[in-house]
Amino acid sequence: TELFPGDGEISSGEEAMEVQSAAKDKRSPHRSLTSIHKILENPKLAFAFALLLADALLVSLIIAYVPYTKIDWDAYMSQVSGFLEGERDYRNLEGDTGPLVYPAGFLYIYSAIQFITGGQVYPAQILFGILYILNLGFVLFIYLKTDVLPWWALSLLCLSKRVHSIFVLRLFNDCFAMTLLHAALCSFLYQKWHLGLVIFSGAVSVKMNVLLYAPPLLLLMLKAMDIVGVFSALTGAALVQILLGLPFLLAHPIAYLSRAFNLGRVFIHFWSVNFKFVPEPVFISKEFAVSLLVTHLILLAVFSHYRWCRHEGGLLSFLHSKLLSMKLSAAISSSFSFEQFHNRHSNFKLLNKEHIVTVMFVGNFIGIVCARSLHYQFYSW
């Protein structure tokens, strides 16, 4: 479905007022009772709420009775302390496990956590328990909106021992990154691409693994918006990164960019999960890294051509049509002011919710398969 500005508008102002008044009359009485009825009438929605309540109880029991596992928390607090003491050189922000390698959003979030908890683990676990339920709520919402699973299958989202551990027993920053990512995906389901890109950029500022979603997201944006919309959304996302990193960009820009956005890091072979069967000399070699990158790009291209763009005639056909549209837009816009042209000729395509989620999740999974090293906390991806 394509919606063009001006289509379907009510011509009479009085008719519009009557329609709005009637809509208000229908919505206003017993709104809360209507919401309850919707939950009771929809077994899948009711089951999702029951899962949230049951998992909240389980998280409480885990925090109360399962010993906390010390891994990165002390390192996080050391890095945050250096930042709060005024250090703006990323080369000097280090912890027990090594130098700081996350963008600035990580520092702001964990600075707030340190302020709230005083650096103590137990109150931080409570915060992460709330974060876990919030993240689970976003994920359940995504699956409910796509409506492709039977009601009982939603319980599978709550059964991961590893994910519970990552959130409330290890307090990893992956938890915040993925919660923000799922919040952004909820925005995309409502076609709120600009808002979603801002939230997505916030997720990237916590941990760069979120960039695995970037290729499929760009494809969806090209499908949903014209080139002006795509450019403005990407500009908003870039602006978020600039504003968050501004204190470091003004003081030591090279150190910040090279540490926070280092795409060439090599993880320790001992801690790798997915490619531990590969001999260490091969694992750390540049040739192995390049082969994984090539495989990643090929898989993205294959899925884009044969699956994600099949209704458009394939990836090449879709890109060709988009290029022709850009050229036509540029030719027509020369006869109008930019604002007139954009208002009259831009169009936004409403994408199917299942298509949005499938492209995003499959694109992310392709990236996970081709990642050189996955530690255990990365299962939250």
Side-chain angles (χ1 to χ4, degrees), residues 227-242:
I227 194 62
V228 176
V230 173
F231 180 77
S232 62
L234 292 175
T235 301
L239 187 60
V240 170
Q241 293 298 323
I242 293 171

Side-chain angles (χ1 to χ4, degrees), residues 2 31 71 79 91 130 158 242-243 279 307 348 358 379:
E2 289 189 354
R31 184 177 296 178
I71 299 181
Q79 292 160 353
R91 292 168 297 186
I130 297 171
C158 306
I242 293 171
L243 291 175
R307 300 291 298 178
F348 292 83
T358 299
Y379 282 143

Side-chain angles (χ1 to χ4, degrees), residues 14 35 76 97 121 127 158 179 188 192 213 249 356 370 375:
E14 293 181 359
S35 300
Y76 290 169
T97 57
V121 169
L127 284 179
C158 306
T179 301
F188 299 147
K192 304 294 184 182
Y213 284 95
L249 291 171
I356 293 173
C370 297
H375 295 183

Side-chain angles (χ1 to χ4, degrees), residues 51-70:
L51 287 175
L52 280 175
L53 293 175
D55 216 342
L57 177 61
L58 176 61
V59 167
S60 301
L61 294 174
I62 292 173
I63 294 174
Y65 295 106
V66 180
Y68 159 76
T69 305
K70 178 181 176 182

